[in-house]
Amino acid sequence: MKRHIFDLLDSIPGDTVQLEESAPLSSERIRKLTMERISPKEKKKPRILYRIFITAAILSLLSATAFGAEPFLEAGDWFRSVLNHQLEQDKAIIQSMGLDVTVPETITPEQIQVVNDLGKVFEQTGVTSEGTTVTLTAAYADASVMHLYFQVEVPEGTVLPDGINYAFQDTGDVEPFLELSENGGCAYKVEALPDENPRDNWKAFHVTARLVPGNDVKMNDDTPKKVTISGIYGWMPTGNSVECTCLAPGEFSFDICVVNSAQEIALDVEGITYGGHKEHTWTHEGDCTDWCRKKLTGQKDPENGLPTHFDSYDFTITVKEMKIGPLGAKWNYRYTCSEDEPFSFDLDFQIIMKDGGSPLCSKITIENERFTQGSGSFTTPLDLNQVDYILIGDPEVGEPVKVFLPQ
Amino acid sequence: MKEDIILRKLRSGDPAGLEALMARYIPYVSTIVWNILRNCMSKEDAEEVVSDVFVAAWNQADDIQSGCVKAWLGAVARNKAKTKLRACGQTLPLEEDVLELPDEYTPSSAAEQAEERKLVQKALDQLEPTDREIFLRHYYYAQAVEEISQRMHLNPSTIKTKLRRGRMRLKTILQRWGVA
């Protein structure tokens, strides 16, 4: 009987030889080819809703295969775990605020589709500097908000811990994280994603970048945007405070373009006015300004023992303009207040989805002489077809106005 | 990323695990595939075979044992490349690759195949470390004698002698079992 030695060795582990790795093949092409060919896996969760979702996903995959389409990873596959994690955080916030809002267990297929439609998966080329490699994996954007997914591997021995806040620039760094144009102001927030091994040197990050109010640059046009990361920084506990500490130095930059046709929809809100009388009591720890001292009641809060302050005022808010996109909204409004030194007033609005849910919105406002301008990013993407209406107004002082999206 | 983390991410369907796996092992898998297929196909086609290996790792992550990732990739790379080689109608230019064994030698059952694996491993373990490395470079990784000679700074005739020694050891052990 004849046996080939090459075949006889099939069953033995060959990894004991330190092989020189010098094949003239393109790692980049192999990587790209592979990422295009793999199909998403669903994590196993013993929830009925999740099982239904998995079935739907399998059916859609089978349909795609039946029509000859190759399944491949899209932006939604990268952001699925990010968004499900965000839903858990949203739920915690809503519970702590005592709001009566439904938060779904998992991100919906429609929302993943929004991410796919607005997203882009990048060629997996990491940028290495000072032993640290940062890879920009995927992003999705509408006109005013961009979400990015990064993977960071710092040198062995350096730990990227869980439970701290991260930044991609030092506090005094003047270079913008996302360079848009000369007048393109942008705020960004870095969030470390939950890690199975929080004491190792690898971590994935989700970054939300959004235009500051009044900026008319578009995040999703075909003008390249430069992302600059000037080190991996963590707010590390030091005594009773936290300090922004450089965990891994380096300079990393990426030129990116996430082009899509997502438009902001202008709502018919001009002239909507609400307002009334409000009173509230609050406590304040630490030094007090003159204005703050004027509000002291002379009593202490029974729960925390701090001096209480009381405020009473009348206000009105008049909306000038509001636009909504799948990832965020922007608005202009005017307010008046009976106080001599008034507070800033945020526009009160709540988006109500057809399933009863209500996405949270992280807001920034900027005041100028004529209007207060605000912009916000939704914590999870909106399928605008599923928006039922938008409530504008403060329910404490009157019935909010229902505004429907134009047909 | 540590290997057990890569494996966990692969199993949970996190593409970051596959990225990390490729970052670490594309050169290794490419070398195995290219050694076997370089006379049979273009670089582009070989790159697709390497990609097949990582797609298999993604799809069969549950089968990969912790601590055996490299060995698993190496075995899958060899098998996929061998299949392509056969499809090309070619064979590897290896030194006297065929062992003539007694007719009684027919490991057909699973138990017999497992026994054969043990014997092959035993034969390798009995070789001097340098002889063993040369044997694996040639018969496992399909490196040519001239290449092994350059890599290990040994005369080609020395390489051939050591390969012959390995073949004899393997044949002796398998013959004993087959006759018994």
Side-chain angles (χ1 to χ4, degrees), chain B residues 143-162:
Chain B
Q143 275 189 349
V145 169
E146 295 70 29
E147 190 180 352
I148 300 171
S149 165
Q150 286 172 11
R151 301 285 188 196
M152 298 184 71
H153 308 292
L154 290 169
N155 193 304
S157 61
T158 308
I159 303 286
K160 288 184 181 181
T161 303
K162 289 177 182 297

mmCIF file of all heavy atoms in Angstrom, chain B residues 143-162:
data_model
loop_
_atom_site.group_PDB
_atom_site.id
_atom_site.type_symbol
_atom_site.label_atom_id
_atom_site.label_comp_id
_atom_site.label_asym_id
_atom_site.label_seq_id
_atom_site.Cartn_x
_atom_site.Cartn_y
_atom_site.Cartn_z
ATOM 1 N N GLN B 143 8.270 22.994 2.065
ATOM 2 C CA GLN B 143 9.418 23.817 1.661
ATOM 3 C C GLN B 143 10.378 22.965 0.815
ATOM 4 O O GLN B 143 10.622 21.803 1.147
ATOM 5 C CB GLN B 143 10.180 24.328 2.889
ATOM 6 C CG GLN B 143 9.595 25.608 3.464
ATOM 7 C CD GLN B 143 10.484 26.205 4.545
ATOM 8 O OE1 GLN B 143 11.431 25.579 5.024
ATOM 9 N NE2 GLN B 143 10.149 27.418 4.952
ATOM 10 N N ALA B 144 10.907 23.573 -0.238
ATOM 11 C CA ALA B 144 11.856 22.846 -1.088
ATOM 12 C C ALA B 144 13.175 22.635 -0.329
ATOM 13 O O ALA B 144 13.504 23.397 0.589
ATOM 14 C CB ALA B 144 12.106 23.660 -2.354
ATOM 15 N N VAL B 145 13.911 21.609 -0.756
ATOM 16 C CA VAL B 145 15.190 21.300 -0.094
ATOM 17 C C VAL B 145 16.118 22.525 -0.136
ATOM 18 O O VAL B 145 16.761 22.865 0.864
ATOM 19 C CB VAL B 145 15.861 20.079 -0.778
ATOM 20 C CG1 VAL B 145 17.298 19.908 -0.299
ATOM 21 C CG2 VAL B 145 15.057 18.814 -0.492
ATOM 22 N N GLU B 146 16.158 23.195 -1.283
ATOM 23 C CA GLU B 146 17.050 24.359 -1.426
ATOM 24 C C GLU B 146 16.657 25.473 -0.439
ATOM 25 O O GLU B 146 17.517 26.135 0.141
ATOM 26 C CB GLU B 146 16.986 24.913 -2.862
ATOM 27 C CG GLU B 146 17.512 23.984 -3.938
ATOM 28 C CD GLU B 146 16.611 22.766 -4.167
ATOM 29 O OE1 GLU B 146 15.384 22.874 -3.939
ATOM 30 O OE2 GLU B 146 17.142 21.705 -4.529
ATOM 31 N N GLU B 147 15.381 25.633 -0.251
ATOM 32 C CA GLU B 147 14.926 26.687 0.665
ATOM 33 C C GLU B 147 15.274 26.341 2.117
ATOM 34 O O GLU B 147 15.743 27.192 2.878
ATOM 35 C CB GLU B 147 13.414 26.890 0.521
ATOM 36 C CG GLU B 147 12.938 28.127 1.256
ATOM 37 C CD GLU B 147 11.438 28.351 1.134
ATOM 38 O OE1 GLU B 147 10.785 27.633 0.356
ATOM 39 O OE2 GLU B 147 10.943 29.252 1.833
ATOM 40 N N ILE B 148 15.070 25.068 2.450
ATOM 41 C CA ILE B 148 15.429 24.640 3.821
ATOM 42 C C ILE B 148 16.932 24.829 4.026
ATOM 43 O O ILE B 148 17.383 25.280 5.088
ATOM 44 C CB ILE B 148 15.032 23.169 4.049
ATOM 45 C CG1 ILE B 148 13.517 22.991 3.868
ATOM 46 C CG2 ILE B 148 15.429 22.708 5.451
ATOM 47 C CD1 ILE B 148 13.056 21.535 3.868
ATOM 48 N N SER B 149 17.664 24.498 2.967
ATOM 49 C CA SER B 149 19.120 24.627 3.034
ATOM 50 C C SER B 149 19.520 26.075 3.348
ATOM 51 O O SER B 149 20.365 26.335 4.205
ATOM 52 C CB SER B 149 19.704 24.171 1.692
ATOM 53 O OG SER B 149 21.034 24.590 1.573
ATOM 54 N N GLN B 150 18.867 27.010 2.662
ATOM 55 C CA GLN B 150 19.183 28.436 2.901
ATOM 56 C C GLN B 150 18.746 28.884 4.297
ATOM 57 O O GLN B 150 19.464 29.576 5.003
ATOM 58 C CB GLN B 150 18.470 29.295 1.859
ATOM 59 C CG GLN B 150 19.100 29.219 0.483
ATOM 60 C CD GLN B 150 18.242 29.922 -0.561
ATOM 61 O OE1 GLN B 150 17.294 30.624 -0.220
ATOM 62 N NE2 GLN B 150 18.593 29.728 -1.816
ATOM 63 N N ARG B 151 17.554 28.455 4.666
ATOM 64 C CA ARG B 151 17.006 28.898 5.961
ATOM 65 C C ARG B 151 17.808 28.362 7.139
ATOM 66 O O ARG B 151 17.992 29.050 8.135
ATOM 67 C CB ARG B 151 15.548 28.442 6.111
ATOM 68 C CG ARG B 151 14.603 28.943 5.043
ATOM 69 C CD ARG B 151 14.272 30.396 5.233
ATOM 70 N NE ARG B 151 13.230 30.817 4.317
ATOM 71 C CZ ARG B 151 12.950 32.079 4.056
ATOM 72 N NH1 ARG B 151 13.632 33.045 4.634
ATOM 73 N NH2 ARG B 151 11.985 32.398 3.227
ATOM 74 N N MET B 152 18.244 27.107 7.017
ATOM 75 C CA MET B 152 18.892 26.462 8.163
ATOM 76 C C MET B 152 20.410 26.390 8.018
ATOM 77 O O MET B 152 21.087 25.812 8.871
ATOM 78 C CB MET B 152 18.311 25.062 8.361
ATOM 79 C CG MET B 152 16.824 25.087 8.686
ATOM 80 S SD MET B 152 16.122 23.466 9.041
ATOM 81 C CE MET B 152 16.836 23.098 10.637
ATOM 82 N N HIS B 153 20.906 26.998 6.933
ATOM 83 C CA HIS B 153 22.361 27.042 6.699
ATOM 84 C C HIS B 153 22.960 25.637 6.734
ATOM 85 O O HIS B 153 23.960 25.378 7.424
ATOM 86 C CB HIS B 153 23.046 27.952 7.736
ATOM 87 C CG HIS B 153 22.428 29.303 7.813
ATOM 88 N ND1 HIS B 153 22.504 30.221 6.789
ATOM 89 C CD2 HIS B 153 21.674 29.879 8.773
ATOM 90 C CE1 HIS B 153 21.844 31.313 7.124
ATOM 91 N NE2 HIS B 153 21.320 31.140 8.324
ATOM 92 N N LEU B 154 22.335 24.728 6.001
ATOM 93 C CA LEU B 154 22.842 23.358 5.913
ATOM 94 C C LEU B 154 22.985 22.997 4.439
ATOM 95 O O LEU B 154 22.248 23.496 3.584
ATOM 96 C CB LEU B 154 21.858 22.379 6.586
ATOM 97 C CG LEU B 154 21.744 22.465 8.107
ATOM 98 C CD1 LEU B 154 20.561 21.632 8.587
ATOM 99 C CD2 LEU B 154 23.026 21.996 8.780
ATOM 100 N N ASN B 155 23.902 22.110 4.190
ATOM 101 C CA ASN B 155 24.136 21.640 2.830
ATOM 102 C C ASN B 155 22.907 20.879 2.325
ATOM 103 O O ASN B 155 22.334 20.084 3.068
ATOM 104 C CB ASN B 155 25.359 20.701 2.887
ATOM 105 C CG ASN B 155 25.876 20.409 1.519
ATOM 106 O OD1 ASN B 155 25.126 19.928 0.684
ATOM 107 N ND2 ASN B 155 27.139 20.723 1.303
ATOM 108 N N PRO B 156 22.509 21.036 1.039
ATOM 109 C CA PRO B 156 21.353 20.286 0.526
ATOM 110 C C PRO B 156 21.498 18.777 0.687
ATOM 111 O O PRO B 156 20.507 18.087 0.953
ATOM 112 C CB PRO B 156 21.297 20.688 -0.952
ATOM 113 C CG PRO B 156 21.937 22.024 -1.008
ATOM 114 C CD PRO B 156 22.998 22.012 0.038
ATOM 115 N N SER B 157 22.719 18.280 0.543
ATOM 116 C CA SER B 157 22.871 16.831 0.692
ATOM 117 C C SER B 157 22.633 16.410 2.143
ATOM 118 O O SER B 157 22.091 15.343 2.411
ATOM 119 C CB SER B 157 24.266 16.398 0.220
ATOM 120 O OG SER B 157 25.250 17.025 1.012
ATOM 121 N N THR B 158 23.003 17.270 3.067
ATOM 122 C CA THR B 158 22.717 16.982 4.486
ATOM 123 C C THR B 158 21.204 16.952 4.715
ATOM 124 O O THR B 158 20.676 16.096 5.429
ATOM 125 C CB THR B 158 23.357 18.076 5.388
ATOM 126 O OG1 THR B 158 24.720 18.197 5.035
ATOM 127 C CG2 THR B 158 23.195 17.764 6.853
ATOM 128 N N ILE B 159 20.530 17.903 4.106
ATOM 129 C CA ILE B 159 19.064 17.961 4.245
ATOM 130 C C ILE B 159 18.468 16.648 3.725
ATOM 131 O O ILE B 159 17.614 16.037 4.387
ATOM 132 C CB ILE B 159 18.481 19.137 3.409
ATOM 133 C CG1 ILE B 159 19.102 20.478 3.809
ATOM 134 C CG2 ILE B 159 16.954 19.168 3.516
ATOM 135 C CD1 ILE B 159 18.668 21.045 5.088
ATOM 136 N N LYS B 160 18.935 16.210 2.563
ATOM 137 C CA LYS B 160 18.375 14.995 1.962
ATOM 138 C C LYS B 160 18.658 13.775 2.831
ATOM 139 O O LYS B 160 17.808 12.891 2.987
ATOM 140 C CB LYS B 160 18.948 14.802 0.559
ATOM 141 C CG LYS B 160 18.383 15.814 -0.433
ATOM 142 C CD LYS B 160 18.886 15.566 -1.832
ATOM 143 C CE LYS B 160 18.312 16.608 -2.786
ATOM 144 N NZ LYS B 160 18.722 16.418 -4.157
ATOM 145 N N THR B 161 19.837 13.736 3.427
ATOM 146 C CA THR B 161 20.180 12.618 4.319
ATOM 147 C C THR B 161 19.241 12.582 5.517
ATOM 148 O O THR B 161 18.730 11.531 5.919
ATOM 149 C CB THR B 161 21.646 12.778 4.817
ATOM 150 O OG1 THR B 161 22.496 12.850 3.682
ATOM 151 C CG2 THR B 161 22.049 11.633 5.717
ATOM 152 N N LYS B 162 19.009 13.772 6.088
ATOM 153 C CA LYS B 162 18.141 13.837 7.276
ATOM 154 C C LYS B 162 16.693 13.504 6.902
ATOM 155 O O LYS B 162 15.966 12.889 7.696
ATOM 156 C CB LYS B 162 18.252 15.217 7.914
ATOM 157 C CG LYS B 162 19.607 15.443 8.602
ATOM 158 C CD LYS B 162 19.722 16.828 9.167
ATOM 159 C CE LYS B 162 21.102 17.056 9.810
ATOM 160 N NZ LYS B 162 21.372 16.187 10.962
#
